[in-house]
Amino acid sequence: MIYPGFHLFNHSGFSRYLEIVGKVQTPVYVYDSSVIIHQHKNLEKLIQSLRKNIQIRYAIKANSNQAILKLICEQGSGVEVVSGGELLKAIKAGISPKEIIFSGIGKTDEEITLAIQNEIEQLSVESLEELHVVKKIASTLQKPISIALRLNPNIEGKTHKKITTGTDKNKFGIPLGQLMEAISIAHSSSYLNFLGISVHIGSQIQDINAYRQVFGQLKTLVSSLSFEGYPVKRLDLGGGFYVPYTLSGSPQFDLQSYGQAFSEELGNLNCGFVIEPGRYFVAESGLLLTKILYIKRTPSRIFVIVDAGMNDMMRTALYDIEHPIVLCSDKKNDTEQMIVDVVGPVCESSDFFASQISLPKNLKAGDILAITHTGAYGSSLSSTYNSRPLIPEVMIDKGVIYLVRECITPEHLLTFETFKKLT
Ligand code: LLP
């Protein structure tokens, strides 16, 4: 099994990418719709084999481009959003509010109001404090809202510390000790429709045992809640499925063992289920194409300076995670290699994509590099730091190349700067 995005390299060499670079400026994100469809099918197969009512709600924070939202919605899934902006984007993409879950620990009154007025499928409430606010807003509007209570299970997902969310040191979810109080508040208003419990213990989770522990905790909880007279209609199991950031495509997330843990722990429950994958659908579908500006040789290092920066793809600066980097060239590469650092133009030392990697010795300014596996948390995490543009995005769909986001230039952004008197 190789990395699903890699088939494009093999089929047509790099000519497709060089064609895109010829039409659109660099840096540019490129997505391959067939990889997203392939990943979606993998999850559909898993769900079919489990013979349970499991809904997919794609976590759009991974990539909220309209073309991607429409594609995933066409595959039959809904979405999970975490802001008013994401809710707006989902609705604009044609996703029914009845298939939209809204999570997040810091929802504003305006966002809660928007969710209630749009009659969304589920609001995942993350604290007692938020629950009081939701209750108040729903009764003022005299409109019902379906809620799930997000549990903080205090279970370690064994992932990068910046993307773990399920322990008592993390800001997410309601601690087990406060859950009964939350459930009784949830039942104290006719405007609150209690659906059940949601969890999400983090991202890039490889350890199936962590999921198993969560499922076990939920199983116990569901039976004690039904004993107390609070039936659980739905369990939302969150996302977090691991993606290998390797060109070999391994090790894969062990979907089969995930399914087995699900069946063994939760298979006897009669409620509905939700999963919220984000990265799993899109990470391997995306590449960031960037042009080499300079090859800077110093006595101690060779720096390959590219035109993409940490503002375009934050993951390396933020988590110290290096994505594979490949030279896009139709020419036969010099087999001789050199050891280089691949860095961006931004004025920060954290602006790098790889340190001490091997690339062909004949590399030169003007060549195009592909930073792979950047479909998830690439564009969606980007910024305009150093007054740089928000770069364009392209999708290859059934062999056709589409521009799916124009470049947002510093000139556009400048039109919002003002000097208005407010008093
Ligand atoms: N559900 C909830 C409530 C979440 O907070 C997240 C991600 C997901 C689902 C989807 O998780 P996924 O399946 O994508 O792992 N920027 C980081 C990842 C942050 C994830 C935040 N929450 C990165 O680039 O690794």
Side-chain angles (χ1 to χ4, degrees):
M1 174 65 196
I2 57 160
Y3 145 60
F6 205 64
H7 74 273
L8 276 174
F9 293 155
N10 293 341
H11 279 182
S12 48
F14 295 99
S15 54
R16 233 52 238 283
Y17 298 120
L18 297 173
E19 188 186 339
I20 291 168
V21 169
K23 292 189 161 121
V24 189
Q25 70 196 81
T26 55
V28 54
Y29 276 108
V30 182
Y31 310 120
D32 175 0
S33 67
S34 71
V35 178
I36 299 172
I37 294 170
H38 171 271
Q39 295 295 93
H40 199 280
K41 288 214 167 17
N42 281 348
L43 283 194
E44 280 172 61
K45 271 188 232 143
L46 170 77
I47 290 172
Q48 266 163 21
S49 73
L50 296 175
R51 296 165 186 281
K52 283 280 170 190
N53 169 15
I54 305 176
Q55 305 293 326
I56 302 173
R57 299 291 176 254
Y58 165 59
I60 81 169
K61 59 178 84 63
N63 190 320
S64 58
N65 185 285
Q66 290 283 296
I68 287 181
L69 298 189
K70 285 181 187 157
L71 181 68
I72 291 178
C73 169
E74 272 164 28
Q75 310 309 304
S77 290
V79 296
E80 184 253 5
V81 303
V82 289
S83 71
E86 284 193 350
L87 180 58
L88 187 78
K89 287 183 98 173
I91 291 172
K92 185 86 204 319
I95 296 157
S96 157
K98 288 280 158 256
E99 296 185 338
I100 301 180
I101 291 176
F102 195 146
S103 337
I105 62 153
K107 301 179 199 82
T108 62
D109 288 6
E110 292 73 22
E111 287 173 325
I112 294 167
T113 304
L114 199 64
I116 296 174
Q117 272 167 344
N118 278 287
E119 300 175 11
I120 65 160
E121 173 185 23
Q122 169 187 318
L123 190 79
S124 298
V125 177
E126 303 230 11
S127 64
L128 289 172
E129 293 76 6
E130 182 193 346
L131 187 54
H132 287 295
V133 174
V134 173
K135 179 177 166 181
K136 195 162 152 238
I137 296 177
S139 42
T140 309
L141 295 173
Q142 299 196 319
K143 275 196 90 138
I145 179 78
S146 294
I147 59 165
L149 298 173
R150 177 165 172 184
L151 170 71
N152 180 320
N154 196 17
I155 289 169
E156 179 62 71
K158 297 204 187 106
T159 179
H160 191 286
K161 77 169 193 311
K162 289 190 181 167
I163 52 175
T164 190
T165 55
T167 79
D168 59 4
K169 296 188 187 55
N170 302 128
K171 63 185 179 180
F172 300 95
I174 301 172
L176 195 57
Q178 294 179 351
L179 199 65
M180 277 321 295
E181 187 182 344
I183 286 173
S184 65
I185 298 167
H187 286 83
S188 69
S189 161
S190 56
Y191 294 110
L192 299 180
N193 170 28
F194 173 67
L195 289 179
I197 307 294
S198 72
V199 282
H200 173 74
I201 59 166
S203 201
Q204 267 303 65
I205 293 172
Q206 201 173 7
D207 177 25
I208 300 298
N209 205 36
Y211 281 117
R212 185 181 281 277
Q213 276 178 271
V214 172
F215 298 163
Q217 195 177 115
L218 289 174
K219 178 169 123 186
T220 314
L221 192 61
V222 169
S223 76
S224 60
L225 288 180
S226 82
F227 183 74
E228 301 277 342
Y230 298 119
V232 168
K233 293 179 220 142
R234 154 179 277 200
L235 286 177
D236 175 347
L237 308 174
F241 300 176
Y242 174 85
V243 166
Y245 283 77
T246 60
L247 292 179
S248 66
S250 61
Q252 287 278 304
F253 180 64
D254 191 351
L255 274 184
Q256 228 183 332
S257 301
Y258 177 87
Q260 198 179 340
F262 172 91
S263 291
E264 286 169 14
E265 301 294 335
L266 301 170
N268 288 333
L269 300 183
N270 284 323
C271 58
F273 297 92
V274 174
I275 52 173
E276 300 176 350
R279 185 191 317 264
Y280 186 79
F281 284 150
V282 288
E284 292 158 299
S285 79
L287 295 170
L288 173 57
L289 296 181
T290 181
K291 190 166 71 192
I292 298 177
L293 298 175
Y294 302 98
I295 300 185
K296 172 173 172 176
R297 291 182 161 82
T298 71
S300 52
R301 279 285 206 274
I302 302 174
F303 294 103
V304 175
I305 304 175
V306 295
D307 63 357
M310 62 188 280
N311 68 299
D312 304 308
M313 210 294 279
M314 265 288 253
R315 297 196 73 251
T316 309
L318 209 52
Y319 313 116
D320 255 330
I321 290 164
E322 296 186 13
H323 291 227
I325 297 180
V326 181
L327 170 64
C328 292
S329 166
D330 280 339
K331 283 171 263 134
K332 201 168 158 16
N333 282 323
D334 193 334
T335 42
E336 255 195 283
Q337 303 277 305
M338 59 180 174
I339 301 295
V340 302
D341 285 7
V342 180
V343 301
V346 170
C347 300
E348 303 264 349
S349 291
S350 55
D351 181 33
F352 77 104
F353 296 110
S355 55
Q356 300 295 280
I357 61 159
S358 174
L359 281 176
K361 214 169 183 173
N362 61 355
L363 215 57
K364 55 180 187 334
D367 282 348
I368 302 297
L369 297 180
I371 305 177
T372 68
H373 300 70
T374 44
Y377 307 109
S379 167
S380 63
L381 255 175
S382 62
S383 79
T384 59
Y385 183 47
N386 278 197
S387 290
R388 290 167 52 80
L390 290 171
I391 62 176
E393 293 173 82
V394 161
M395 180 183 272
I396 305 176
D397 183 45
K398 300 186 196 84
V400 182
I401 300 170
Y402 296 92
L403 181 67
V404 294
R405 190 180 73 184
E406 306 267 1
C407 182
I408 299 170
T409 65
E411 288 83 359
H412 288 141
L413 294 168
L414 201 50
T415 62
F416 295 96
E417 294 193 24
T418 182
F419 197 71
K420 272 188 203 156
K421 196 170 181 187
L422 291 176
T423 49

